[in-house]
Amino acid sequence: MSYVSSTVARVMDQINRSYFLPAIQRPYVWQPDQIVALFDSLLKGYPISSFLFWEIRPEHRSDWEIYKFIENFRFGDTHNEMAEPDGRDVVLVLDGQQRLTSLLIGLRGTFTVRSKYKRRNNPDAWSKQRLYIDLLKDPSVDVREGDGEDLGITYGLQFSDDEPKSDADHLWMKVGSILDCTSDDVLDRLADEMLSRLPADTPRSMRRVAERNLDRLYRTVWKDGVIA
């Protein structure tokens, strides 16, 4: 058995293309606050444990029922769509489904939740949410009241059905936007675009916080080999 480090972006690119799930895996069970905690840990540079991958030889692909990762999750659903392995390199994830699915949802997908007092069969009861980050939230400052104190969340991460409103104190960006930053030059353009949304009198110290948070997200997804 060998250990290889990979970036989040590289692994995301392979999910449901080469990386799949075997039938023996349990359903996805994480909640939005757990996904937030995972991204917060990654941004802090904390280890998220190792993953176990199993490469399947082409002649044995038909021996297994292979399933796709869930990209758009609806709370209460447990069904993973079956995948057709023909013509693919197949690597099965034996340990890490919950974490990889959470990364996929946070970066490329959605988490659909039901309002507490509405029936499941009511279409208006469901809210499809994406993960956003407040670039002006300084992670070195104590966590805000009600923003995950029990989990020790220090980055401004939250799920929302619409992009939260930015103002003089908040600069919101969809976390998945970082996947478009395929180079440092693209990152610089995104940084310029985001900073241009701030009022002209925004203190330089706050602008630096936004720049640092965006750079940290970029390096976490594209540069650091956090997937072991």
Side-chain angles (χ1 to χ4, degrees):
M1 180 183 297
S2 61
Y3 285 85
V4 178
S5 295
S6 184
T7 65
V8 171
R10 190 177 300 122
V11 171
M12 291 297 101
D13 189 53
Q14 294 302 315
I15 286 181
N16 293 336
R17 293 177 59 188
S18 296
Y19 295 167
F20 297 97
L21 294 168
I24 59 174
Q25 285 283 21
R26 65 173 179 157
Y28 181 69
V29 296
W30 278 28
Q31 300 286 336
D33 58 353
Q34 292 174 285
I35 301 176
V36 166
L38 176 65
F39 275 83
D40 186 78
S41 294
L42 285 170
L43 289 169
K44 290 172 181 171
Y46 294 169
I48 59 170
S49 191
S50 58
F51 298 75
L52 183 59
F53 295 84
W54 181 19
E55 185 174 351
I56 303 296
R57 295 182 182 276
E59 62 268 26
H60 294 305
R61 286 182 308 208
S62 60
D63 296 342
W64 301 92
E65 287 188 356
I66 297 173
Y67 290 82
K68 294 181 179 180
F69 282 82
I70 295 176
E71 186 167 333
N72 296 290
F73 181 73
R74 175 166 159 149
F75 184 74
D77 288 353
T78 59
H79 175 68
N80 288 65
E81 182 183 352
M82 288 192 69
E84 294 297 334
D86 296 336
R88 301 175 186 252
D89 294 326
V90 172
V91 177
L92 298 181
V93 177
L94 301 185
D95 184 19
Q97 174 201 2
Q98 305 294 317
R99 287 165 290 162
L100 289 181
T101 302
S102 296
L103 290 173
L104 183 64
I105 290 171
L107 285 165
R108 284 209 320 239
T110 58
F111 197 112
T112 300
V113 297
R114 180 170 60 90
S115 299
K116 188 173 182 180
Y117 299 108
K118 293 185 178 180
R119 295 181 179 274
R120 289 181 59 89
N121 59 0
N122 181 357
D124 296 330
W126 298 93
S127 172
K128 182 179 287 187
Q129 301 184 348
R130 292 174 173 83
L131 184 61
Y132 293 88
I133 183 169
D134 179 7
L135 296 176
L136 290 184
K137 172 64 174 69
D138 189 346
S140 66
V141 177
D142 291 340
V143 293
R144 296 171 295 185
E145 183 178 356
D147 278 4
E149 290 178 335
D150 293 339
L151 296 173
I153 306 301
T154 56
Y155 281 87
L157 296 157
Q158 74 173 51
F159 275 92
S160 177
D161 49 0
D162 295 307
E163 182 174 313
K165 185 177 179 180
S166 296
D167 53 32
D169 298 315
H170 305 280
L171 182 59
W172 292 99
M173 185 189 83
K174 187 173 69 172
V175 171
S177 298
I178 205 66
L179 290 177
D180 288 323
C181 294
T182 53
S183 69
D184 292 352
D185 289 340
V186 180
L187 174 68
D188 290 341
R189 290 196 293 271
L190 177 60
D192 290 342
E193 176 191 341
M194 296 303 302
L195 293 175
S196 69
R197 302 181 188 179
L198 295 173
D201 59 351
T202 301
R204 178 57 189 160
S205 59
M206 294 181 67
R207 291 178 178 270
R208 285 198 294 267
V209 169
E211 290 170 341
R212 286 197 302 268
N213 285 336
L214 184 57
D215 183 73
R216 184 72 199 113
L217 179 61
Y218 171 66
R219 298 195 175 281
T220 297
V221 172
W222 283 98
K223 300 293 185 180
D224 298 342
V226 299
I227 307 295

